[in-house]
């Protein structure tokens, strides 16, 4: 029973994380614009697009947790995390170039991407069996 409950607690926390992050793209867009790699075009559009995608994926994960949509949303989050990894690298490079005191945080953030990917990937797997009482 505990494993089943933890599955859904983690699922809803994961969904909430991406909803909040997506909303933050619109509330604090300047922060995301600073992380954009210079070789990408249309920075404002890409920040808004990634925020909208995070919101949609978070909603899909939370609103339909027992359907195929949950699996698609989880895969979408995995792909999104891989796609935005260059922005995390760019953040580190920007901070290093300016001797930003938050450089250590940016460096720690890079490997943190892998547990986030694993967390989302966990929801691509079949639901655990609900225990019978």
């Amino acid at each position: 029973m505990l494993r089943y409950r933890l599955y859904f607690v983690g699922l809803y926390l994961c969904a909430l994380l991406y909803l909040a992050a997506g909303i933050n793209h619109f509330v604090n867009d300047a922060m995301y614009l600073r992380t954009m790699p210079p070789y990408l075009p249309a920075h404002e559009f890409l920040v808004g697009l990634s925020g909208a995608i995070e919101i949609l994926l978070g909603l899909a994960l939370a609103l339909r947790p027992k359907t195929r949509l949950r699996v698609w949303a989880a895969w979408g989050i995995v792909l999104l995390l891989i796609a935005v990894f260059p922005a995390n690298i760019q953040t580190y490079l920007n901070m290093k170039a300016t001797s930003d005191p938050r450089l250590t945080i940016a460096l720690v953030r890079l490997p943190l991407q892998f547990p986030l990917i694993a967390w989302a990937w966990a929801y691509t797997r079949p639901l655990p069996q609900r225990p019978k009482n």
Side-chain angles (χ1 to χ4, degrees), residues 28-37 42-48 94:
N28 192 6
D29 62 334
M31 179 182 80
Y32 294 95
L33 287 169
R34 286 191 303 269
T35 70
M36 293 298 292
H43 290 175
E44 294 85 4
F45 172 76
L46 291 174
V47 167
N94 291 348

Side-chain angles (χ1 to χ4, degrees), residues 36-121:
M36 293 298 292
Y39 56 84
L40 289 176
H43 290 175
E44 294 85 4
F45 172 76
L46 291 174
V47 167
L49 179 64
S50 61
I53 290 171
E54 281 183 319
I55 291 168
L56 290 173
L57 292 173
L59 284 173
L61 203 60
L63 296 179
R64 302 294 294 183
K66 295 185 180 180
T67 67
R68 221 179 299 166
L69 183 59
R70 171 190 49 87
V71 174
W72 282 101
W75 277 117
I77 291 169
V78 167
L79 293 174
L80 181 70
L81 288 168
I82 292 167
V84 301
F85 192 68
N88 296 333
I89 294 169
Q90 189 64 48
T91 299
Y92 171 75
L93 294 173
N94 291 348
M95 289 182 172
K96 186 176 181 184
T98 61
S99 299
D100 191 306
R102 298 169 295 170
L103 181 64
T104 304
I105 295 169
L107 184 61
V108 169
R109 172 80 171 82
L110 292 173
L112 182 61
Q113 199 81 353
F114 298 105
L116 289 173
I117 290 169
W119 187 13
W121 180 78

